Amino acid sequence: MSQLSSCFQNNQFCILVEYLTSLNEIFPVKTEFARYPAVMTLADRVHSDHDVTPLAASEQYPDSVDKILHFAGKGRDIQDIELFLQQAKAAKIKNLLLLTGDKLKEHCDGKDGAERSRYLESVNAVMAAKQFGGFCIGVAFNPFKYAEAERDAQYLKLHKKLKAGADFIITQLGYNMDALKQAKIFLNHHQYTQKILACVMPLSLARANFMVKHQVAGIVITPHMLQVLTDEKQTGLNERVYLRCALQMLMCKHLGFAGIHLSACHKPEEQMLLESYIEQYRHLTLDELESLWNSLWQVKTGKEFVPELPYYSCQPTSSQIIKYQQLHFMHEVLFESKIAKGVGRFIFRAAWWENTPAAKALLKTEYISKHGVVGCESCGQCRLGDTLYICPETCPKGLANGPCGGTTLDRCEFGDRECIHSVKARLAKAVEQTEVLKEKLIPTVPIEVRGTSSWKNWYAATEA
Ligand code: SF4
């Protein structure tokens, strides 16, 4: 059993210390951090799309060091994770953190005939790892969402990740303790027994400014936070960065988090400073820690960590509801009725062979009839019935099971549209279809299926 699994089994608070593979250095690895068990985690392509892989980086450290390897689905397909799982097993890796990942730095939107970048969803990666067996599987979760629909969408997807087989959850980096408490309440309320760990980072002014300037996906830094950090820097109170981090770690322990995922604290001198603050304040109660935390952050209203919410609607538009109802009706008639299945079989037999005139005509008919209505891209495995008739291919990452963590107040990480998963979550509430978004694990589309008729494939599958 890995050290991580043993900590979980014994309810022992643990610290996962993150290392970036792009740093190209071998670091002294801690097995204890402030007297808590420590585990090494290796992040996947944080600085560039071409960083050394976590698996390759892990070879620099002995097998005796317990490691968590991150696997981000960006730029990857289901075959990539199947290969990765085999290699990780051969390398005696026991723990994985499976994520969709943020936008590729060299993302290609598929325009002008170029091949569109693909993203393997975390839900599908978890399903593959669970089926493979033998790993302790972690997933990421972003509780720092402040528009109702994007928050609902995050929690709906968390249900799916846990249903798919995740063993533990690591939150996005964030500083709003109320949001972290909500995540714990959610797990308790639904009687999930999976462990949750909070991601923290010593937040200096330079780091906060960087995250704001580069709009780092899914991270919320408010003007109030920037002002507090600026004032501290000007008055020479730089070490508060580590004091605050220590307080957050200790508060999470009191709140029942299984541990901490510690980011950007890989240098021994930083670690020693942080550990010294943990030692200094570990005897405090939760109330005392919270009081100190609030005074350091100058919290007065409780809204200091919440971004300003522009006006937005919590309701779907009437045209969205009507479109859903019409498409749902058509779906039932075309795919669920006996007559439709008989006609479908006849058509699919006629178009059985790929690249025949009949197959090409069927593909073209499907594309023409659906592209204008839902943005169809002929993925070959239509998932509209499981996505409230909102085509997953209209998400720039092509995600079908739910959002990534990178939205900002319902806006897509790519910045050019509203997140389709927020639209779905809002619509699902209005038409009472929330269970579909919570329960249905939608398989990934194999590359070889893309560019074929999903109608033909569907009829073929029902006939089989
Ligand atoms: S899910 Fe696939 S087949 Fe269905 S509308 Fe979207 S691209 Fe077209």
Side-chain angles (χ1 to χ4, degrees), residues 116 366-367 370-371 374-385 387 389-394 400 445 450 452-455:
R116 177 177 166 179
E366 180 178 353
Y367 179 79
K370 282 158 67 181
H371 182 72
V374 293
C376 177
E377 287 197 10
S378 302
C379 75
Q381 184 177 294
C382 196
R383 295 152 285 167
L384 287 177
T387 59
Y389 308 99
I390 293 172
C391 173
E393 298 297 316
T394 57
V445 179
R450 291 190 176 274
T452 61
S453 166
S454 79
W455 289 344

Side-chain angles (χ1 to χ4, degrees), residues 173-178 180 200-209 211 219-233 237 240-249 251 289-306:
L173 172 67
Y175 298 89
N176 184 346
M177 294 306 296
D178 288 340
L180 288 173
V200 307
M201 174 202 278
L203 187 66
S204 62
L205 178 62
R207 284 175 179 163
N209 277 330
M211 289 191 250
I219 296 182
V220 177
I221 306 287
T222 61
H224 174 87
M225 294 167 71
L226 279 180
Q227 189 59 55
V228 170
L229 295 172
T230 305
D231 293 347
E232 279 180 5
K233 174 113 180 150
L237 296 169
R240 282 196 178 174
V241 167
Y242 293 90
L243 164 58
R244 209 180 269 114
C245 188
L247 295 177
Q248 191 177 15
M249 291 165 80
M251 283 191 290
L289 290 163
E290 283 184 335
S291 159
L292 193 47
W293 169 265
N294 287 338
S295 92
L296 288 175
W297 274 121
Q298 300 175 25
V299 172
K300 293 194 179 74
T301 64
K303 296 286 175 210
E304 286 78 0
F305 301 101
V306 177

Side-chain angles (χ1 to χ4, degrees), residues 203-452:
L203 187 66
S204 62
L205 178 62
R207 284 175 179 163
N209 277 330
F210 178 90
M211 289 191 250
V212 172
K213 184 176 171 198
H214 296 278
Q215 300 182 332
V216 176
I219 296 182
V220 177
I221 306 287
T222 61
H224 174 87
M225 294 167 71
L226 279 180
Q227 189 59 55
V228 170
L229 295 172
T230 305
D231 293 347
E232 279 180 5
K233 174 113 180 150
Q234 282 168 356
T235 46
L237 296 169
N238 295 340
E239 287 201 359
R240 282 196 178 174
V241 167
Y242 293 90
L243 164 58
R244 209 180 269 114
C245 188
L247 295 177
Q248 191 177 15
M249 291 165 80
L250 292 167
M251 283 191 290
C252 286
K253 181 171 187 302
H254 279 284
L255 290 171
F257 280 75
I260 292 295
H261 184 274
L262 179 60
S263 280
C265 194
H266 51 270
K267 293 185 185 151
E269 62 274 19
E270 291 174 288
Q271 294 178 344
M272 275 168 59
L273 191 53
L274 181 56
E275 284 182 285
S276 72
Y277 278 119
I278 294 173
E279 291 295 354
Q280 202 177 329
Y281 291 93
R282 71 193 305 156
H283 65 283
L284 295 187
T285 64
L286 179 59
D287 283 350
E288 290 167 333
L289 290 163
E290 283 184 335
S291 159
L292 193 47
W293 169 265
N294 287 338
S295 92
L296 288 175
W297 274 121
Q298 300 175 25
V299 172
K300 293 194 179 74
T301 64
K303 296 286 175 210
E304 286 78 0
F305 301 101
V306 177
E308 199 177 324
L309 294 175
Y311 172 77
Y312 66 96
S313 172
C314 301
Q315 301 294 330
T317 62
S318 49
S319 63
Q320 284 170 332
I321 294 178
I322 291 167
K323 186 173 173 183
Y324 165 80
Q325 288 167 336
Q326 287 174 341
L327 290 171
H328 183 62
F329 174 76
M330 281 166 63
H331 181 85
E332 293 293 304
V333 171
L334 292 174
F335 294 94
E336 300 301 333
S337 71
K338 271 190 183 164
I339 299 172
K341 281 180 183 162
V343 173
R345 268 182 214 118
F346 174 74
I347 294 172
F348 121 71
R349 281 197 193 107
W352 173 253
W353 302 106
E354 291 299 339
N355 295 321
T356 59
K360 283 182 188 163
L362 186 63
L363 178 62
K364 197 165 182 186
T365 308
E366 180 178 353
Y367 179 79
I368 290 170
S369 62
K370 282 158 67 181
H371 182 72
V373 183
V374 293
C376 177
E377 287 197 10
S378 302
C379 75
Q381 184 177 294
C382 196
R383 295 152 285 167
L384 287 177
D386 298 326
T387 59
L388 277 72
Y389 308 99
I390 293 172
C391 173
E393 298 297 316
T394 57
C395 161
K397 295 182 182 173
L399 307 183
N401 281 292
C404 65
T407 58
T408 304
L409 301 175
D410 285 337
R411 297 299 295 171
C412 171
E413 180 188 342
F414 286 60
D416 59 348
R417 68 195 83 188
E418 185 173 27
C419 171
I420 66 158
H421 306 284
S422 290
V423 176
K424 268 194 307 185
R426 212 180 283 133
L427 182 60
K429 248 186 190 169
V431 299
E432 299 181 357
Q433 288 294 322
T434 307
E435 285 300 302
V436 177
L437 302 188
K438 184 171 153 188
E439 296 290 333
K440 177 77 191 178
L441 303 181
I442 304 172
T444 194
V445 179
I447 282 184
E448 61 274 15
V449 169
R450 291 190 176 274
T452 61

